[in-house]
Amino acid sequence: MPSAQSLARAQSLIRTIPDYPEPGVLFRDITPLLADRDALRTTIDAMLEPFEGRFDVVAGIEARGFILAGAAAVAAGVGLVPIRKAGKLPRPAASVSYELEYGTATIECHDDIAPGTRVLLIDDVLATGGTLAAAHELVARLGAETVGTTVLMELEALGGRAIVGDVHAVFTA
C-alpha cells in the first residue's frame, strides 16, 4: 500500500474548478495527477491493492476511467475491457440505460470476455452512482462477475455509494 505521504501528495495535485461544466458544480480536474508519474503510480497501486489477485481483467468506464483502467491493467498484468458511451462501438454485445439528473444515458460493451471472467470495475469519480450501477449490470449481462469497484475519488455528498454498494475510493471529497 502506498504511504500516507505519497497519497497526500497525489491528492494535492487534483484541482477543483468551480462552476464547470455549469454553475454550482465543482469539477475535479485529475489531469495534473495523471501527468505526474509518481502520483499516478501511487494512486493506481492504491486502487488495486484491496483486489490484488482477485480479478482477471479491469473494465474502465469512458472517459477518464479509461486512463486509470489502462494504467491499472498494465500494473496488474491483466487485460482491459472498455465500457463506452452508446454509439461508440462497432459491435456492442450488451447495453444498459440509466437515469441521470438531466436525462438518460446508455453504456455499451463488447463481448470480448468469457462468461465467468472476474472483473474489477474502475472509474475516476463516484458521484450519484448511476454510471457504476449500470456498469455492474452490463458486466452481469455479459456473464462475467464484478469482484470489486474502485474509483480515484468519491464525492460523498452525492450519495452514490447508496446506489452502487461497496466501492473502494482512494480519495473522498
Side-chain angles (χ1 to χ4, degrees):
M1 183 69 172
S3 71
Q5 181 180 4
S6 63
L7 284 168
R9 182 181 169 280
Q11 186 173 18
S12 75
L13 296 173
I14 300 171
R15 293 185 186 134
T16 300
I17 311 295
D19 300 321
Y20 183 82
E22 58 186 55
V25 173
L26 295 175
F27 181 80
R28 309 303 173 159
D29 180 9
I30 66 169
T31 54
L33 181 151
L34 296 174
D36 185 289
R37 176 193 69 195
D38 294 334
L40 178 60
R41 183 61 197 225
T42 293
T43 54
I44 293 300
D45 288 348
M47 292 175 83
L48 292 175
E49 192 270 333
F51 308 101
E52 198 169 307
R54 294 180 37 215
F55 58 94
D56 305 311
V57 299
V58 296
I61 301 170
E62 189 170 352
R64 297 189 306 176
F66 283 172
I67 299 165
L68 297 168
V74 170
V78 299
L80 169 67
V81 175
I83 296 177
R84 304 285 320 258
K85 295 175 182 171
K88 304 281 185 172
L89 293 173
R91 53 179 182 84
S95 65
V96 174
S97 295
Y98 59 100
E99 297 292 322
L100 299 167
E101 312 82 274
Y102 49 85
T104 61
T106 302
I107 55 174
E108 299 177 331
C109 192
H110 287 157
D111 58 357
D112 295 325
I113 54 176
T117 299
R118 300 173 304 161
V119 177
L120 176 62
L121 283 175
I122 295 181
D123 206 359
D124 61 330
V125 174
L126 170 59
T128 60
T131 305
L132 279 169
H136 277 262
E137 186 177 337
L138 189 61
V139 168
R141 285 189 185 179
L142 292 171
E145 174 194 2
T146 300
V147 297
T149 303
T150 185
V151 296
L152 182 64
M153 177 177 285
E154 177 181 359
L155 305 177
E156 292 177 306
L158 298 179
R161 194 175 287 265
I163 303 294
V164 181
D166 190 33
V167 174
H168 173 65
V170 176
F171 306 120
T172 58

